[in-house]
Amino acid sequence: TQIEEIRESFDVYPNPSSDIIYIENKKQEAIFIYNSLGDRVLNTKEEYINIEQFPVGIYVIKKGNKTSQFIKK
């Protein structure tokens, strides 16, 4: 038998963004943000995240077993 991995995602908005993004996190799960090189650039439990200092690019966000992405413009 073959097991397929199911990846759930979640909403990040606004997307793209240049300053603040919002991720619903009522369960206060750990949120990890990675740059396009796979380096972790932030970990938090906050719903509103300031990304002003991030370089322009595409970022991956992991929360629990869910993955999403956003664009910093």
Side-chain angles (χ1 to χ4, degrees), residues 2-73:
Q2 189 175 21
I3 298 173
E4 291 185 29
E5 185 176 340
I6 299 174
R7 290 188 181 250
E8 295 183 43
S9 65
F10 50 90
D11 291 330
V12 178
Y13 54 90
N15 191 6
S17 180
S18 59
D19 51 8
I20 303 287
I21 58 172
Y22 174 79
I23 302 167
E24 185 174 311
N25 194 23
K26 295 194 186 322
K27 295 181 182 177
Q28 291 292 296
E29 293 180 274
I31 295 171
F32 300 98
I33 300 180
Y34 300 87
N35 65 16
S36 59
L37 300 175
D39 298 325
R40 187 168 68 198
V41 295
L42 183 71
N43 60 301
T44 185
K45 292 184 178 184
E46 300 296 320
E47 292 185 311
Y48 290 93
I49 302 170
N50 185 338
I51 61 167
E52 280 183 307
Q53 303 301 320
F54 289 16
V56 171
I58 298 173
Y59 292 82
V60 173
I61 306 172
K62 293 187 179 184
K63 180 179 77 161
N65 63 349
K66 298 179 181 180
T67 303
S68 195
Q69 67 180 17
F70 71 92
I71 297 170
K72 165 63 164 63
K73 62 177 183 176

